Amino acid sequence: MDKTEFKRCFSRRLAEKFAMEVSDASPNELYQTLGSLMTSTYSQNWQQTWKDYREAGQKQAYYFSIEFLPGKMLKSNLLNMGWLEMVSEGLTELGISLDDLAEVEPDMALGNGGLGRLASCFMDSIASTGLPGNGNGIRYEYGLFKQRFVDNYQVELPDEWLQKGNLWEVRKESKAVDVRIGGDVYLSEDGFGNLTPNYQGGMLLRAVPYDTGMVGYQNDIVNTMRLWSVEISPEEEDRYRSIGDRRAVEDLTSVLYPDDSSEAGRKLRLSQEYFFVSAGVQSILRYYKQLNKPMDEINQYIAIHINDTHPAMCVAEFMRLLIDQEKMGWERAWNLTQEVMSYTNHTIMAEALEKWSIDMMKSVCPRIYQIIEEIDRRFVEEMTGVHDFDLIQRTRVIQCGQVHMAHLAIIGSHSTNGVAKLHSDLLKSVVLHDFYLLYPARFNNKTNGIAMRRWTQLANPALSNVLDDTIGDSWRKNPSDLRLLLNFEEDDQVLEALADAKWENKKRLATYIEDHCGIKVNSNAIFDVQIKRLHAYKRQLLNLLHIIKLYLDLKENPDLPIEPRVFIFGAKAAPSYHYAKSIIKVINETASLINQDDSINNKLKVVFLANYNVSLAERIIPAADVSEQISLASKEASGTSNMKLMLNGAVTIATLDGANVEIRDAVGDDNIAIFGLTESEVYQYYENRSYSSTDIFKNDAVVYKVVKTLVDGTIPNIISEGQEIFDSLIKYNDEFFVLRDFGDYCLAQESINQAYQDKRRWRQISLRNIANAGRFSSDKTVQRYADDIWQIEPAFAHEDDRGVTQHDTYLF
Ligand code: 26V
């Protein structure tokens, strides 16, 4: 399609859909029109992609994730369709701004943070590298809550993202399946020695899929993200007459659990997990059966990925279907299950490793519990005599009345991976060490990555243009070509062009900050950014204490030679995570104090942008000078904002945690500010129990002065929150070693301050960060999953006809 044709089609579609002309239409009507033109265009490729996979007998991967966080899809689909420029120009000629239309789309925020965003980067990359892979998850009616600040406190509002409809999804009624939740089950013998489950009571729910096309980057591939929604099945209508009963069903896919601080006893959450697992696995099996291949060979055609423990019941559900429905023997079914399944661990925090009580599991999915019991029984039987008793007890799936989901995922799959080198090593040596002893060959690393296209081409057109002019545009398809930029590190013109692009982005963010927070910031100041969920281990508190130190220093000496800085935060706290919400309050109050204090000559500003989400990330990241990656070493599995910020030329200040280690290796020590305890030093402290935060508090005058401000009235309106945080540091011995790392962090911050003063040097460091970011492309990450774990190949890799019959409709 060319521009002229696009304009004609667009106007015609607007007339068909809304019976109006461009000049009468609202941004939403124009957005709906453009979207419908796009979906009707790529749906041909969508159908063709499926036909091609099927006809080539292609093995497909299914990424099971309880969260997906795609953000807005308009521009990324336009980019991937190869339409972005054409549509942008065409609309301008019609008097419409594409950016205004893009604003209308609500963020699709069906995730909390890194885990969900990674899943969406993977979806983009899987399609863009032409790999046959699909997503499977939940279509929550309400996404992650919207955050507002009232009196500097976080307040949560519901995210009604579906209010105006979702034009990217297609409801596939014909592909619905039934999922049984609750009730009882007993086994009977069928006369041939086979045990058959008989179900009594419970709810038979209808799972209806909503499919969204995952458009590959200019390659005509469109994969599927399938999200399940609950409905009352027509046969059961009579049972759910009252509003209360209907509500109980609808609640199942109503809200995304925002609470990653503790997963204590939430029956609804367990039901959500079983619901999307069962629906997804059933639909995969139905598809496979329509291929007319022997069930024995399913491992050659299907790979199922368990993204964190939430979908770990895939193991038992797959077994259930093979045994109960396909009448397969246990051993055969078990071997196939292990070959089909693979699992990624995303956190070492013990609280986050899911465990469910036996009682709850029996009440939500009794047959699944029976199967897990048998998996556990056989595991113990198989290991007894081979491994020592204690090791077996520690690795069992069922222990002390609880079902350990990570154990189920590891035992029931052929691959367990971490998400950065350090994290994968820690899994082997500490967190999952017992399993590493049992199954060393299953453990591997797959360092996370990011969808480069979204985080440069879409989020940062200014930088993208400079790159095109400097190194050509091959980096758009091959991010490793960003390395070509290293040839220009002494080229002042290029350094200046990069700095100009950064400045343009900072101006844009400054305008946003003024519009949304009423704070005027200086675009020549250092924009220092920490954007991620609010968690004690991520140590936003460390950042805050350093800000307080700078403020006190400036109060003492207003002429202190520091580069003006704007500290920018973006973070949501889980609604039940009291401590995290207190940190938000204290940051906000400190911000109010500092921003209104004229005596510090605007050298310091603190901005906490409300409602951090993917779209806001796209605004902040291109404007960042400094990237704060300051988690306590060993705690952040990987991090991915670190990669996005680096790619956009921010200089990282970091502990040696997660993927920061690999970023350091990529850019070299001179182009990153590393500080703080190492992971092994942290573990030594644990071993020796020798950490005392009070010692530091008493002996380090700077720490004393800064920490005191939490409780001495320096910062207004934080009587209880300040005390709570003070106590966490002093009374409860500072779980995340904030005070231990404080001094070193301040030195690293001072080195940033120095480096920024030498403009040329700073620009060179920034250039080297951009140039070395290519290795973190999620295109590469998913290729490694495809090669090492899923054993899938790009579409059209087989040219021979493998004898699969051709169908007209697609089957999955
Ligand atoms: C973390 C925590 C920490 C405190 C206690 C409770 C709790 C519960 C859940 C989580 C994190 C959940 C999983 C997650 O989002 N992990 C993130 O995954 C990203 C993608 O692999 C990775 O980059 C982040 O480092 C990791 O935190």
Side-chain angles (χ1 to χ4, degrees):
M1 190 176 315
D2 65 14
K3 194 167 59 182
T4 318
E5 202 188 337
F6 164 72
K7 286 197 294 184
R8 205 175 37 239
C9 289
F10 182 82
S11 303
R12 194 172 54 221
R13 185 63 62 98
L14 181 67
E16 286 163 5
K17 258 179 100 70
F18 295 104
M20 42 169 80
E21 287 179 19
V22 167
S23 53
D24 299 324
S26 71
N28 185 45
E29 285 154 349
L30 296 169
Y31 162 70
Q32 298 288 339
T33 304
L34 177 57
S36 107
L37 203 56
M38 291 161 69
T39 50
S40 63
T41 305
Y42 71 62
S43 63
Q44 290 153 26
N45 284 338
W46 198 358
Q47 214 173 343
Q48 192 60 43
T49 300
W50 269 94
K51 274 193 185 167
D52 291 341
Y53 290 160
R54 199 183 48 232
E55 280 161 24
Q58 201 111 26
K59 184 173 183 183
Q60 299 198 45
Y62 297 85
Y63 197 80
F64 277 59
S65 180
I66 203 160
E67 301 190 359
F68 286 94
L69 201 36
K72 297 188 200 295
M73 302 214 286
L74 181 74
K75 282 196 188 169
S76 95
N77 281 343
L78 283 172
L79 176 72
N80 288 6
M81 290 169 78
W83 277 22
L84 187 57
E85 216 172 309
M86 184 259 298
V87 165
S88 174
E89 287 172 10
L91 289 176
T92 308
E93 288 172 19
L94 292 171
I96 306 166
S97 139
L98 176 61
D99 284 337
D100 290 350
L101 294 204
E103 273 304 303
V104 171
E105 181 178 3
D107 266 43
M108 188 175 186
L110 310 185
N112 278 287
L115 175 95
R117 182 55 230 171
L118 184 77
S120 287
C121 281
F122 279 12
M123 286 296 107
D124 182 331
S125 284
I126 289 170
S128 295
T129 46
L131 287 164
N134 310 287
N136 187 80
I138 297 177
R139 178 181 178 270
Y140 303 102
E141 203 87 21
Y142 299 91
L144 186 64
F145 67 86
K146 291 199 159 157
Q147 179 194 53
R148 281 229 197 114
F149 297 134
V150 175
D151 291 339
N152 286 331
Y153 286 107
Q154 167 175 298
V155 173
E156 302 96 25
L157 302 162
D159 169 41
E160 297 167 329
W161 72 291
L162 285 170
Q163 223 168 30
K164 291 185 181 161
N166 169 13
L167 59 83
W168 309 113
E169 70 185 10
V170 185
R171 182 174 185 273
K172 290 270 170 65
E173 195 179 60
S174 60
K175 305 288 177 256
V177 298
D178 288 334
V179 175
R180 183 177 293 279
I181 303 264
D184 288 318
V185 63
Y186 66 90
L187 299 177
S188 60
E189 222 245 46
D190 66 356
F192 302 97
N194 301 317
L195 294 175
T196 325
N198 298 279
Y199 295 95
Q200 275 178 339
M203 303 188 286
L204 196 62
L205 304 176
R206 175 136 299 186
V208 182
Y210 286 71
D211 288 356
T212 301
M214 295 288 113
V215 181
Y217 181 59
Q218 297 171 18
N219 64 359
D220 293 340
I221 298 286
V222 183
N223 290 334
T224 302
M225 173 173 69
R226 172 161 282 186
L227 302 181
W228 297 94
S229 180
V230 73
E231 290 182 13
I232 291 166
S233 75
E235 297 101 76
E236 303 259 310
E237 272 290 340
D238 282 349
R239 287 186 54 191
Y240 301 98
R241 289 245 169 261
S242 80
I243 292 179
D245 288 351
R246 299 185 78 87
R247 206 53 245 154
V249 172
E250 287 156 5
D251 272 354
L252 197 69
T253 52
S254 172
V255 280
L256 162 74
Y257 267 77
D259 196 346
D260 59 8
S261 64
S262 83
E263 204 46 82
R266 307 308 296 264
K267 192 167 171 181
L268 187 61
R269 170 73 169 197
L270 182 62
S271 306
Q272 286 186 334
E273 292 183 358
Y274 183 60
F275 177 77
F276 94 102
V277 159
S278 177
V281 176
Q282 285 187 61
S283 85
I284 290 168
L285 236 70
R286 179 178 59 194
Y287 164 71
Y288 181 69
K289 287 173 79 162
Q290 285 165 334
L291 292 179
N292 288 319
K293 300 279 176 193
M295 204 38 88
D296 257 347
E297 293 176 11
I298 190 165
N299 58 324
Q300 295 170 36
Y301 294 88
I302 303 290
I304 291 180
H305 199 79
I306 298 172
N307 191 36
D308 225 17
T309 52
H310 324 118
M313 278 183 285
C314 279
V315 169
E317 179 68 1
F318 198 72
M319 284 297 287
R320 182 182 77 83
L321 292 169
L322 291 186
I323 293 167
D324 294 351
Q325 192 179 292
E326 305 305 318
K327 306 291 175 206
M328 197 182 273
W330 182 279
E331 263 102 29
R332 266 168 71 203
W334 184 241
N335 289 336
L336 290 171
T337 302
Q338 287 179 318
E339 282 178 37
V340 166
M341 303 291 160
S342 49
Y343 158 63
T344 298
N345 172 288
H346 290 268
T347 180
I348 69 154
M349 305 295 286
E351 308 93 295
L353 290 177
E354 282 186 302
K355 301 171 197 79
W356 296 105
S357 77
I358 292 177
D359 287 346
M360 196 185 297
M361 199 164 255
K362 270 185 180 164
S363 81
V364 169
C365 41
R367 180 65 183 137
I368 291 304
Y369 180 70
Q370 287 180 341
I371 290 168
I372 292 174
E373 246 183 342
E374 183 61 11
I375 291 172
D376 184 55
R377 193 190 65 74
R378 287 176 184 248
F379 172 80
V380 174
E381 192 176 80
E382 190 190 327
M383 293 296 166
T384 302
V386 186
H387 292 282
D388 78 72
F389 179 80
D390 290 344
L391 179 64
I392 299 169
Q393 292 310 310
R394 291 196 302 269
T395 48
R396 294 179 63 160
V397 180
I398 304 174
Q399 290 174 36
C400 307
Q402 290 192 306
V403 183
H404 289 235
M405 304 311 275
H407 300 193
L408 178 65
I410 298 166
I411 292 171
S413 65
H414 66 279
S415 168
T416 292
N417 74 279
V419 289
K421 276 183 200 148
L422 176 69
H423 170 59
S424 297
D425 287 343
L426 278 169
L427 291 183
K428 290 197 280 193
S429 62
V430 186
V431 189
L432 301 174
H433 179 66
D434 289 332
F435 290 97
Y436 181 59
L437 295 176
L438 300 180
Y439 313 113
R442 287 187 194 178
F443 282 77
N444 64 96
N445 175 56
K446 296 284 168 284
T447 299
N448 282 166
I450 56 174
M452 294 277 163
R453 291 165 289 280
R454 179 175 286 267
W455 301 104
T456 44
Q457 297 188 53
L458 291 182
N460 198 344
L463 171 62
S464 303
N465 290 337
V466 177
L467 292 173
D468 285 350
D469 292 347
T470 312
I471 57 172
D473 63 5
S474 65
W475 64 275
R476 291 177 182 255
K477 253 203 143 64
N478 297 313
S480 20
D481 285 353
L482 288 170
R483 282 194 69 79
L484 295 170
L485 204 53
L486 290 175
N487 297 326
F488 298 89
E489 61 179 30
E490 300 296 339
D491 185 323
D492 286 314
Q493 246 177 326
V494 170
L495 291 174
E496 190 159 336
L498 288 170
D500 287 348
K502 178 64 74 184
W503 199 76
E504 198 183 305
N505 294 324
K506 287 168 74 172
K507 279 298 273 183
R508 189 167 162 260
L509 181 61
T511 307
Y512 181 91
I513 291 172
E514 187 164 6
D515 291 350
H516 289 77
C517 317
I519 303 168
K520 265 196 190 327
V521 299
N522 169 6
S523 298
N524 292 315
I526 303 175
F527 279 20
D528 183 314
V529 166
Q530 188 172 18
I531 40 173
K532 47 189 80 251
R533 281 302 292 267
L534 219 141
H535 258 300
Y537 83 81
K538 294 179 190 276
R539 302 200 295 189
Q540 280 93 351
L541 176 58
L542 181 57
N543 190 344
L544 175 70
L545 293 181
H546 170 249
I547 293 170
I548 296 172
K549 174 185 180 292
L550 285 183
Y551 177 64
L552 298 178
D553 290 350
L554 280 169
K555 292 297 280 183
E556 246 169 60
N557 175 11
D559 297 326
L560 199 72
I562 65 163
E563 282 297 308
R565 267 219 224 190
V566 182
F567 289 94
I568 298 166
F569 292 89
K572 289 180 180 175
S576 67
Y577 192 175
H578 192 270
Y579 182 75
K581 292 173 106 171
S582 296
I583 301 267
I584 290 182
K585 168 74 171 169
V586 175
I587 295 176
N588 275 332
E589 290 294 345
T590 310
S592 304
L593 173 73
I594 293 177
N595 296 340
Q596 285 161 27
D597 189 334
D598 291 336
S599 72
I600 56 165
N601 297 326
N602 286 329
K603 282 191 172 162
L604 219 53
K605 291 277 175 202
V606 183
V607 177
F608 203 136
L609 289 167
N611 202 35
Y612 178 60
N613 61 10
V614 173
S615 293
L616 196 47
E618 288 168 8
R619 238 177 232 285
I620 299 171
I621 290 170
D625 294 309
V626 175
S627 161
E628 299 274 350
Q629 308 299 335
I630 58 177
S631 52
L632 174 65
S634 79
K635 295 293 179 276
E636 190 70 89
S638 160
T640 43
S641 72
N642 46 4
M643 301 168 185
K644 292 162 199 164
L645 284 155
M646 164 200 199
L647 171 66
N648 282 275
V651 178
T652 311
I653 177 164
T655 50
L656 286 175
D657 200 14
N660 302 345
V661 178
E662 288 155 78
I663 292 179
R664 195 265 324 250
D665 293 346
V667 299
D669 284 314
D670 295 340
N671 299 296
I672 188 168
I674 296 292
F675 73 97
L677 293 172
T678 62
E679 150 275 330
S680 61
E681 287 166 341
V682 170
Y683 275 92
Q684 264 164 35
Y685 270 118
Y686 292 151
E687 219 162 273
N688 306 336
R689 298 166 185 273
S690 55
Y691 181 56
S692 164
S693 62
T694 359
D695 284 355
I696 301 177
F697 181 62
K698 283 188 197 143
N699 299 323
D700 183 325
V702 180
V703 167
Y704 184 82
K705 183 174 75 173
V706 170
V707 171
K708 269 301 231 186
T709 62
L710 295 169
V711 286
D712 68 4
T714 308
I715 306 162
N717 310 319
I718 57 159
I719 294 192
S720 66
E721 294 81 12
Q723 188 69 49
E724 182 185 1
I725 294 165
F726 181 88
D727 287 348
S728 77
L729 291 173
I730 308 305
K731 198 163 155 194
Y732 300 110
N733 203 27
D734 183 16
E735 186 181 354
F736 297 104
F737 299 84
V738 172
L739 301 188
R740 176 66 179 78
D741 276 350
F742 180 74
D744 208 9
Y745 179 59
C746 292
L747 291 175
Q749 285 289 18
E750 179 49 31
S751 79
I752 293 269
N753 183 53
Q754 296 285 332
Y756 196 80
Q757 287 171 3
D758 180 347
K759 288 273 166 288
R760 190 163 196 271
R761 179 172 161 225
W762 184 266
R763 289 172 181 181
Q764 286 178 319
I765 295 175
S766 173
L767 176 146
R768 289 182 201 120
N769 272 272
I770 302 169
N772 285 298
R775 74 181 67 189
F776 298 110
S777 163
S778 52
D779 291 359
K780 290 188 179 173
T781 314
V782 299
Q783 193 60 58
R784 294 184 196 113
Y785 276 86
D787 293 342
D788 304 347
I789 301 178
W790 303 330
Q791 257 95 50
I792 56 169
E793 290 181 343
F796 317 119
H798 306 283
E799 289 193 355
D800 58 325
D801 178 6
R802 298 176 67 184
V804 183
T805 31
Q806 200 170 320
H807 303 275
D808 289 323
T809 54
Y810 83 77
L811 303 166
F812 162 50

